[in-house]
Amino acid sequence: MAEITRRADDYSRWYQDVIQAAELADYSPVRGCMVIRPNGYAIWENIQRVLDDRFKELGHVNAYFPLLIPKSFLAREAAHVEGFAKECAIVTHSRLKTVLVDGKTTVVPDPESRLEEELIIRPTSETVIWDMYRKWIQSYRDLPILINQWANVVRWEMRTRLFLRTTEFLWQEGHTAHATAAEAREEALRMLEVYRWFYEEVMAAPVIAGAKTANERFAGAVETYSVEAMMQDRKALQGATSHDLGQNFARAFDVTFQDAEGARDFVWATSWGLSTRSIGALIMTHSDDNGLVLPPRLAWRKAVVVPIWKNDGEMSATVEAGRALAAALKPVAGVVPVDDRDKLRPGGKYTEWEQRGVPVRFEIGPRDVAAAQCVMVSRHDRKKTPVPLAGAARALADELARIQADLLRLAQGRRESATVRLERWDDFRALYEAEGGFAWCHWCGDGACEARIQEETKVSIRNIPLDREAETGACIRCGRPSAGRVVFAQAY
RNA sequence: CGGGGCGUGGCGCAGCCCGGUAGCGCACCUGCUUUGGGAGCAGGGAGUCGCGAGUUCAAAUCUCGCCGCCCCGACCA
C-alpha cells in the first residue's frame, strides 16, 4: 500500500502521493500529459453530470467543434493571438514515412505531405466557433445561441502538475452569442454564479467570485470573472472563469446580425469554462495525511462494506450480511462494494479505502451480525456510529449530508483563519514572507502598481470581489486613492 | 529556457568513488497460519543496469556523446 508524505513535511509531494495512492491519475509517456485513471475519471464524470444538468436547465445545448484549427484563425483577434501563440501545438504534416537511420527503421514526417496551411490543436475554441457562428447568425431571431462543448484542449505549458496544469486537459467551454451588451454581461455573470454554486454546494469548496484585473484578463475578453478557492497550503487556485467577450470575436470573424429595426450590429459574446483542474482543487481542499477526502456529491463510491471474520463460518456469515447491507444501501449510495478479499486484513482494507476517499465505510463482524447492526465510519473525521442494519440506508443518507456540510464548514474555517485585511505595505510583505494567505487590501487600480507588487512579492490580485463593500482607502503599495478592497494571494 | 536532482525487476532504492557471479524493501505468485486499524513464516517468478560509442581480458561501475524524467523559477485553466 502506498505511503503518503505528510502535508507538513512536503506539501507538493503529499499532493502527488495522494493522487498515486487513490489511483486518480498517472504520468503518460508524453511529458506533461497525464492518464486519468478510472477513479479520477469517475470524479470527472460526476462533475460533468452535475454541471451539464445545470447548464441545460439554463437553456444551453451541447455541440462539438473540431480539435484542429487553421493557424490563421488564431491571428484574427489581436489579444487572443498574443495570449496563446506561445503555447500552441502545430500540425505540419499529414503522414509519416519509414526511413533507415544507422541501420534501424524509424519514422519521420513525409516532406511531401507538408500541409498548405498548418493547423493548430485548439488551446480553446473561440475562433472555430465564431467562424461557424458567422454562418449561423443573420438576424436577432437567431439569438441568443447558448452552446456548450465538453472537449479536450492542448496548451504547451513549460511546467506541468497532475490535474493542476497538464499539456492536454479536459474541460467544458460555453460559447454564447447575444443581441445586446447587457445580455452578454448578464450571461457571463449568470455562469459565474453557476460556478460559485458548483464549487460551494457540490465541491464543498468556498470561493470568492469576482472580476479579474485588466492584467489577468482572458486574451480577447473585455471582462473576465473568476471564482477563487484557497488550498490547504494557503495558496489560491482559480477554479473557473467566465468571460464577457464584448464584440471582439464578432468583429474578428465578421459576425453581424440585423435587429428588429433593420439596423446591423456585431454580435455580443461570452465564453466560460471549468476544467479537470477542478479535481486538483478538490484534492487540495479536503484531503488529509491519510489520503483523498471527497465530498459525497462527487465521490466515485459513496460507501463501502468491510466484513470481518476469524474463520470460514464467520466469513460466510459476515460476507452474506455485508452483501445484504450493500443491497439495502444501493438506493441511497448507488453501487456499494463489499470488500471480501481474504488477502488483506480489516485494518489494511480501512487504510486502502481511506486513501481512496470513500466517504463512508460500514464494518460488519460476527458480533454485529449477532446484534443485527453494523458500524458506520466516516472518512473525514473517523467518527464511528453503531447502526441497526434495518436503519442503515437512512443513517447513510443522513451521514452523507452531514459530511457534505462538514467539509464545506471546515474549508470555510480554514479559509477564514488564513484571511486578513491589511493596511500597511510592511504587514503585506511580512505576511507573504511568512505563511501567506488571502489579504484583502486597497489597490489604486493601476496595472503597473499591480505588476510591481507581483514582481516584488510573487503575490497577485486574485480578483475584485463582486460583493465587496463600498469603502475608500489608500493603495497598499503606493498610497493612491482606492475605491475598495481586492483579494491578494500567491496562486497556483 | 535558467538552476538543482535522477535514470538499476511493476514501484522505491543500494551498489558506482576503488571495474570482477546484479542486490534490498514494497508489490506479485504458491502454501500454511492469521483476520474488530497497515498480518507472519516458508518457498517462488520477474532486470539487455536510459540509449550509443570508447577504454579494458572484463563496464551498472571509468571516458565521451545523446535521450528522457522529476523538483524549483519565468508562462499559464
Side-chain angles (χ1 to χ4, degrees), chain A residues 117-136:
Chain A
E117 176 170 9
E118 293 175 347
L119 302 172
I120 58 166
I121 300 176
R122 61 181 166 213
T124 180
S125 302
E126 273 79 4
T127 60
V128 236
I129 290 180
W130 279 86
D131 187 60
M132 296 309 294
Y133 282 2
R134 183 179 59 245
K135 293 191 188 175
W136 298 346

Side-chain angles (χ1 to χ4, degrees), chain A residues 93-382:
Chain A
H93 293 76
S94 65
R95 59 174 183 262
L96 297 170
K97 67 176 200 178
T98 56
V99 291
L100 276 171
V101 175
D102 298 334
K104 270 188 246 167
T105 302
T106 181
V107 287
V108 296
D110 184 343
E112 288 176 22
S113 73
R114 184 152 199 113
L115 301 182
E116 295 253 326
E117 176 170 9
E118 293 175 347
L119 302 172
I120 58 166
I121 300 176
R122 61 181 166 213
T124 180
S125 302
E126 273 79 4
T127 60
V128 236
I129 290 180
W130 279 86
D131 187 60
M132 296 309 294
Y133 282 2
R134 183 179 59 245
K135 293 191 188 175
W136 298 346
I137 298 168
Q138 314 295 335
S139 151
Y140 73 98
R141 296 181 207 276
D142 297 325
L143 299 171
I145 292 181
L146 305 174
I147 286 181
N148 174 66
Q149 87 165 343
W150 292 96
N152 57 339
V153 290
V154 167
R155 296 182 187 176
W156 216 268
E157 302 285 356
M158 290 303 172
R159 243 192 82 220
T160 58
R161 298 187 74 186
L162 292 177
F163 291 111
L164 296 177
R165 188 174 301 105
T166 47
T167 300
E168 177 188 9
F169 57 95
L170 306 183
W171 75 347
Q172 57 70 214
E173 46 179 329
H175 296 273
T176 67
H178 305 268
T180 67
E183 225 183 277
R185 177 57 58 95
E186 196 185 321
E187 170 75 2
L189 289 168
R190 178 184 303 121
M191 300 321 288
L192 182 72
E193 168 56 19
V194 168
Y195 292 140
R196 187 210 59 77
W197 164 83
F198 180 77
Y199 263 84
E200 299 196 338
E201 300 304 317
V202 181
M203 290 187 37
V207 291
I208 296 168
K212 285 289 191 182
T213 63
N215 288 345
E216 302 264 332
R217 208 170 273 157
F218 174 74
V222 297
E223 190 75 270
T224 287
Y225 301 100
S226 72
V227 290
E228 302 283 334
M230 182 188 283
M231 305 297 101
Q232 291 182 53
D233 61 352
R234 295 173 160 250
K235 283 165 82 174
L237 187 89
Q238 180 171 299
T241 49
S242 181
H243 314 291
D244 179 349
L245 302 174
Q247 294 174 306
N248 291 345
F249 283 90
R251 281 208 178 85
F253 286 85
D254 193 27
V255 187
T256 59
F257 73 105
Q258 228 171 353
D259 67 19
E261 283 78 47
R264 188 158 279 281
D265 193 8
F266 289 110
V267 175
W268 302 83
T270 79
S271 69
W272 27 273
L274 179 143
S275 74
T276 37
R277 178 182 235 200
S278 58
I279 296 174
L282 195 62
I283 295 164
M284 288 200 288
T285 300
H286 303 299
S287 299
D288 60 24
D289 290 346
N290 298 316
L292 189 64
V293 173
L294 288 176
R297 292 193 69 177
L298 291 177
W300 60 281
R301 286 281 184 265
K302 296 188 193 331
V304 59
V305 174
V306 179
I308 299 155
W309 60 81
K310 282 200 185 63
N311 52 53
D312 289 355
E314 288 182 357
M315 179 177 173
S316 57
T318 57
V319 168
E320 193 187 330
R323 294 219 173 100
L325 173 60
L329 298 174
K330 198 173 177 187
V332 171
V335 173
V336 176
V338 177
D339 192 345
D340 61 359
R341 290 175 292 177
D342 197 21
K343 180 188 162 304
L344 276 182
R345 288 157 71 181
K349 296 178 185 180
Y350 301 163
T351 303
E352 195 182 284
W353 291 109
E354 283 177 2
Q355 288 185 344
R356 293 176 177 186
V358 175
V360 178
R361 166 178 85 236
F362 287 88
E363 305 172 3
I364 183 161
R367 293 199 296 274
D368 296 311
V369 173
Q373 65 154 34
C374 56
V375 177
M376 181 173 74
V377 188
S378 51
R379 164 67 182 87
H380 76 298
D381 62 2
R382 287 195 176 170

Side-chain angles (χ1 to χ4, degrees), chain A residues 56-76:
Chain A
K56 284 171 180 165
E57 281 169 18
L58 293 171
H60 302 89
V61 291
N62 286 332
Y64 187 78
F65 294 84
L67 173 73
L68 299 174
I69 299 177
K71 193 177 67 178
S72 60
F73 276 25
L74 206 72
R76 297 266 193 101

